[in-house]
Amino acid sequence: TNNDGPTSSEVNNGQYSQTGKMDTTDNPVMNISANFENTYSIYIDTKSLQNRTLTDVKDEVNDMEIYNLAKMMRNVFIPIIVFVGVFGNSVSMSVFTSNYLRRSSSSTFLVALACTDNVFLICLFLSWFDGSVDNILTSVRICQVISYLTYVSSFLSVWFVVGFTSERYIAICHPLRAKVFCTQVRERVAVVIFVMLSVVLYNFASWTTDVYTSNSITRCTYKINYIQFLNVITWVDTVVTMLIPFTLIFFMNMRVACTAATFQEKRKGCLTPRDAKRVKHRALRSKQQMRVTRTLLLVSTTFLVLNLPSHVFKLSSLISAFVNPSNAYNISMAQYFIQELSQIVLYASFSMNFFLYALYGKHFQRSLSFMYESSRLRLGCSDRIEYLERTSTLRSWT
């Protein structure tokens, strides 16, 4: 296990990964994303003992404190994020596959998103457990599967967000085309296409990953002879999972927000008591559409906000490595801490959706309440009359 911090001699003589274990290579590839358990070189000035000043010693002590703080932060927050996220995503999948929301807008994308988020969180937990508690990823095959699933799930997560954001964009900004493009069949086809694309695009993870043993500790990492190839892949992955989807989500969210605000203003100005009955049904449907739009807009915007710090750090590091290759892996402990913090914020994005649905999604709240009351009835905690009394209020919601 690695529950204690590194000794000063270890820090002065080696390179460390995020988990604090000694790396087996001299120049690890800088893949600063949620796709791999990121590897960093923490360089401390290796002056001889007699040439060190009091300032040098104080700097090393401060670096050790920052390192231990970052490690404690990972050990506390990652298990919480994983367990809360897996539970919330599982409940979300149950709700969106229930009879109440199965045919609702974007339900296929939301079920697929919850599923892939759970896959990512499980892989994250295994990587964290291997680095912080016990060495478990010692098999080459398991190492390759974890690496592959992490790449695939992180790609699918962002593109499923693009998928339901696109549906909201079409439904609000191009309503005449909604009946053609916003159908469950097309949703399922899109999900299958995204899955097939990710399976092909990230197949390299199965043959560029290996396990290395150093000081009786086995680590799952990349093959050193593929380092240049992986550097190119990191740039491609940045474009595919960050630049393109972020641009699309931001553009579509802005259009949806502006169009929805304009629509609401026009509706308020046009409705009068005399024509209220004539447009009541249409207004009700519009109100329901706005509720769905507001919730999904919030989900995609939260996704952007939580992912942005890590991706900005990643992009800046890639640019810095391209401009100054000789200094590509020499980062300060402060930069390391910021990277760790931004990664934890990114991980949180995989476990936040349930709370957004539960707080702001009226249909989700109602469906969750129906499921709760139905489970009480099946378990014998309430009789049929009590069940009907409890759900009669839910059925009256609009």
Side-chain angles (χ1 to χ4, degrees), residues 164-232:
F164 71 71
T165 305
S166 300
E167 280 206 338
R168 283 297 90 197
Y169 170 75
I170 294 172
I172 300 301
C173 299
H174 304 283
L176 297 179
R177 301 179 183 178
K179 289 186 177 181
V180 177
F181 292 100
C182 302
T183 63
Q184 281 199 324
V185 173
R186 290 185 181 274
E187 283 183 26
R188 291 168 184 171
V189 170
V191 168
V192 171
I193 290 174
F194 284 140
V195 171
M196 293 177 62
L197 184 62
S198 65
V199 167
V200 175
L201 188 62
Y202 292 105
N203 73 88
F204 68 87
S206 61
W207 47 268
T208 59
T209 309
D210 205 348
V211 293
Y212 293 92
T213 302
S214 177
N215 297 330
S216 301
I217 296 176
T218 302
R219 281 289 164 259
C220 178
T221 184
Y222 54 86
K223 294 180 180 178
I224 189 62
N225 50 313
Y226 290 111
I227 187 170
Q228 296 300 326
F229 172 76
L230 290 174
N231 274 321
V232 175

Side-chain angles (χ1 to χ4, degrees), residues 14-44:
Q15 299 172 329
Y16 277 80
S17 69
Q18 273 191 326
T19 58
K21 297 294 192 297
M22 187 74 76
D23 288 336
T24 56
T25 56
D26 294 328
N27 293 305
V29 63
M30 199 169 214
N31 181 25
I32 314 173
S33 69
N35 300 327
F36 261 133
E37 186 68 14
N38 307 325
T39 307
Y40 288 94
S41 303
I42 308 301
Y43 288 86
I44 306 296

